[in-house]
Amino acid sequence: MIRILGAVLLVLGFCGLSLEKVKEEKEQLKRLSELKSFITYLLREIEYSHIPIPDICEEYFGRSEGALKDFLEKVCACLGKKEGKSFDVIWEEECSTGYVGKKEEKAILRRLNKSFGFCNTGMQISAIEQNLDELEKIILQKEKKFQDNRKLILYFGVMSGLLLSIILL
């Protein structure tokens, strides 16, 4: 009886692990789409309103959520301290330590920081548009990969649990 209960718990544990992996992939897609909406907002504000980037970050911070909100909050807090650091240094530091996300997301934020330094607004806009295009490609790839692998991950979780249960029984 205890062996059967152990086998059932083992299968349920593997199912939980596979569900957690699927949830993690969904969260990454959500963070990427949130980052896309931020970059789109940033692009439009620079293009039409000619607002400085730190002010845009502060404005967007109030309407964002999740990891991006925490990141922008830390950037705005460091800017508010007025320690003499430039915006790009603060952005880079917070990318390294303050953003909870995968390497791809941090790399996008770092590339975005490099596009802030142009004096000409037109060049700044084109650099941000390139980052946005690249991010859209990444999101499409991740969505396709997620759709293809979601069921596979769940099946492997169940099958691994069953296989291990059979071996242990």
Side-chain angles (χ1 to χ4, degrees):
M1 182 68 182
I2 292 177
R3 288 179 135 184
I4 294 172
L5 180 65
V8 168
L9 289 176
L10 193 64
V11 170
L12 289 175
F14 273 95
C15 290
L17 284 174
S18 60
L19 287 171
E20 183 64 30
K21 178 66 176 165
V22 169
K23 180 182 170 190
E24 183 181 305
E25 294 291 324
K26 276 185 185 177
E27 287 175 358
Q28 185 185 17
L29 279 172
K30 184 179 176 185
R31 283 192 311 266
L32 286 172
S33 65
E34 184 181 342
L35 190 56
K36 178 185 171 188
S37 68
F38 169 67
I39 293 174
T40 304
Y41 180 79
L42 181 75
L43 182 66
R44 299 304 164 230
E45 288 295 317
I46 290 172
E47 193 171 14
Y48 298 115
S49 302
H50 302 290
I51 297 175
I53 294 170
D55 294 343
I56 296 171
C57 292
E58 202 170 307
E59 188 177 315
Y60 192 81
F61 153 68
R63 59 168 44 176
S64 64
E65 56 188 41
L68 188 61
K69 181 175 184 159
D70 296 338
F71 171 73
L72 291 176
E73 181 180 18
K74 290 176 183 175
V75 168
C76 292
C78 287
L79 283 173
K81 289 179 185 176
K82 297 183 181 179
E83 296 175 336
K85 294 180 183 176
S86 64
F87 179 75
D88 60 329
V89 171
I90 292 172
W91 186 277
E92 187 67 33
E93 286 176 357
E94 291 305 321
C95 261
S96 301
T97 59
Y99 186 73
V100 179
K102 296 208 175 188
K103 290 180 182 179
E104 296 170 327
E105 299 166 43
K106 290 182 180 184
I108 291 167
L109 284 171
R110 284 193 176 99
R111 280 192 302 272
L112 187 64
N113 184 30
K114 288 182 175 48
S115 63
F116 292 158
F118 295 113
C119 293
N120 184 356
T121 308
M123 290 189 63
Q124 201 173 41
I125 289 170
S126 65
I128 292 172
E129 283 175 343
Q130 286 177 350
N131 285 323
L132 185 61
D133 291 340
E134 185 177 332
L135 179 61
E136 287 173 347
K137 289 177 187 175
I138 290 172
I139 289 173
L140 287 174
Q141 288 174 352
K142 291 281 183 184
E143 284 175 345
K144 186 178 184 308
K145 182 181 172 186
F146 177 73
Q147 292 300 325
D148 293 344
N149 292 345
R150 181 183 59 190
K151 289 182 182 177
L152 192 63
I153 290 170
L154 292 173
Y155 290 145
F156 275 136
V158 172
M159 294 306 288
S160 300
L162 287 173
L163 180 66
L164 196 56
S165 295
I166 290 171
I167 290 173
L168 291 177
L169 285 178

